[in-house]
Amino acid sequence: MSTSDDVLFDSVDLGDETLSNRVGLAPMTRTSATGDGRATAEMARYYAKFARGGFSFLVTEGIYPDEAYSQGYDDQPGIANDEHVEAWRRVTDAVHDEDAPIFAQLMHAGALSQGNRYTDERLAPSAIRPTGEQLEMYGGSGEFPEPRAATTDDIEDVIENFATAAERAVDANFDGVEVHGANGYLLDQFLTTYTNERDDEYGGNVENRIRLTAEVLEAVQAATPDEFVVGVRISQSKVNDPDYRWPGGEDDAEVIFERLTDAGADYLHVTEEDVTTPAFESGPTLTELADRYGDVPVIANGALEDPDAARATVEEGADLITLAKGALANPDWPRRVAEGRPLEKFDFQRILQPDAGIDESEVPEPADS
């Protein structure tokens, strides 16, 4: 199949960005920053490698936005001060030298924080200990501590800190930001029924539970230039609870995707362990629901390493797809697929053990054509 006949290699407009193909790098927590949250030269080489391998856009690992409650892991990068901004410029410059845009994923860990140099407290919608246990590959062990329920002032601070972090992302020469509303972190904790027992405007029905994510999006859009891309990542499953599903089914999906679109999202990045399966017991996938009820480009992520699965997901409504494991195994995945070369299989033990830090030897340079 030539690239002219392959839907994966169509050009796509995303905000003011024109992407050369439909394949991007998914955000992946790698815990390879300095102890005080600065991106490193190793990280610059890591991200540039994927741009050089043909990925048309990159989304960073989750970056904590403030010097308060948001940090989730030791050695996680931040964008909470001027030193963080300066360090990220080295990364964005390296990626831009390879002619690809890069978006900063802004992440508040909330109750799932298992490493924060600024505080020992955890912030959450309600004082409910998270299910499951901390992630050993990110340096944690045992059950999560019980968090503190956020006050109205805390919520206002969260919104303001996301917006300020987005302004710093502009200063760091990012091309956009992605608000992390997925995978069990703070914004998703507000959306999730069993972690949100609030009785104010941020709790109760799904309209209230999605409110904080929408207000963060609105604040980030207001704080950044018109040409700056502002997306949002959304999921049902979580790092500590992969089986959770929205209790209202498709009705919840309609409210969530419509509200996020109305809040100004430039794209909806839906992610599940396998995004090709039905969102609920049967029926449409999360990609199809985002396409049905949203009014912006949809990015799909999860179990799309096989090119045929990626193509089928585009055919069912995704404008773009992102790869994580497939990218780690094949930093030149788009080039390999375009040229009909075989793909390497992902080796979890080699790449993500004993921890999730970046090891230069784990990902070979993209092969020459």
Side-chain angles (χ1 to χ4, degrees), residues 23-328:
V23 186
L25 179 72
M28 291 176 279
T29 299
R30 300 310 309 272
T31 59
S32 290
T34 62
D36 61 356
R38 287 173 291 122
T40 64
E42 184 179 53
M43 291 168 64
R45 291 191 292 271
Y46 167 81
Y47 282 110
K49 198 174 290 188
F50 296 105
R52 191 158 54 251
F55 288 86
S56 68
F57 69 102
L58 315 181
V59 185
T60 71
E61 60 211 280
I63 305 172
Y64 64 84
D66 60 58
E67 296 177 332
Y69 300 102
S70 63
Q71 184 178 354
Y73 305 106
D74 292 336
D75 300 325
Q76 179 187 5
I79 195 160
N81 56 48
D82 291 343
E83 289 75 20
H84 291 163
V85 169
E86 185 62 31
W88 274 115
R89 286 185 185 134
R90 176 164 47 186
V91 177
T92 57
D93 287 349
V95 172
H96 291 154
D97 285 346
E98 302 295 341
D99 296 322
I102 180 170
F103 307 147
Q105 189 190 69
L106 304 181
M107 167 189 153
H108 193 306
L112 294 192
S113 176
Q114 57 185 52
N116 188 326
R117 66 190 301 263
Y118 304 102
T119 181
D120 291 329
E121 278 192 324
R122 275 69 170 172
L123 193 71
S126 302
I128 298 171
R129 189 187 305 275
T131 188
E133 294 190 342
Q134 298 182 54
L135 305 175
E136 292 187 6
M137 65 186 293
Y138 297 129
S141 63
E143 65 181 10
F144 291 93
E146 183 176 305
R148 175 174 70 79
T151 65
T152 300
D153 287 344
D154 289 325
I155 291 173
E156 292 175 356
D157 288 344
V158 166
I159 296 169
E160 181 179 352
N161 289 338
F162 267 99
T164 302
E167 293 175 332
R168 292 194 185 99
V170 174
D171 292 341
N173 298 325
F174 281 101
D175 304 283
V177 295
E178 178 173 284
V179 172
H180 198 345
N183 301 124
Y185 297 113
L186 181 71
L187 301 184
D188 188 37
Q189 289 159 29
F190 272 82
L191 178 57
T192 300
T193 50
Y194 68 80
T195 54
N196 184 346
E197 294 184 348
R198 303 178 71 92
D199 59 6
D200 61 4
E201 67 269 33
Y202 294 97
N205 61 36
V206 65
E207 289 86 354
N208 285 349
R209 288 184 281 109
I210 196 61
R211 185 186 305 275
L212 179 57
T213 307
E215 290 182 350
V216 166
L217 277 170
E218 290 166 346
V220 168
Q221 277 286 19
T224 55
D226 289 344
E227 67 273 14
F228 196 70
V229 176
V230 177
V232 61
R233 195 176 211 218
I234 197 81
S235 72
Q236 300 186 91
S237 61
K238 311 170 193 314
V239 294
N240 62 320
D241 183 2
D243 298 324
Y244 180 80
R245 295 294 179 266
W246 297 331
E250 187 169 340
D251 289 341
D252 278 5
E254 180 177 5
V255 171
I256 291 164
F257 292 129
E258 286 184 351
R259 182 67 183 93
L260 296 178
T261 299
D262 291 344
D266 290 318
Y267 67 79
L268 302 169
H269 191 176
V270 297
T271 179
E272 295 292 354
E273 185 174 349
D274 186 348
V275 79
T276 69
T277 61
F280 304 105
E281 290 186 2
S282 61
T285 65
L286 201 61
T287 301
E288 290 174 302
L289 292 172
D291 180 55
R292 181 178 302 173
Y293 296 117
D295 192 26
V296 292
V298 175
I299 304 175
N301 169 257
L304 300 178
E305 296 84 8
D306 179 84
D308 286 337
R311 293 181 186 108
T313 298
V314 169
E315 296 292 349
E316 73 178 21
D319 298 275
L320 299 156
I321 64 110
T322 58
L323 301 178
K325 291 183 292 185
L328 291 177

Side-chain angles (χ1 to χ4, degrees), residues 333-347:
W333 191 98
R335 283 175 47 185
R336 284 177 180 253
V337 173
E339 295 164 9
R341 292 187 284 126
L343 296 169
E344 299 292 333
K345 291 186 177 180
F346 175 73
D347 184 340

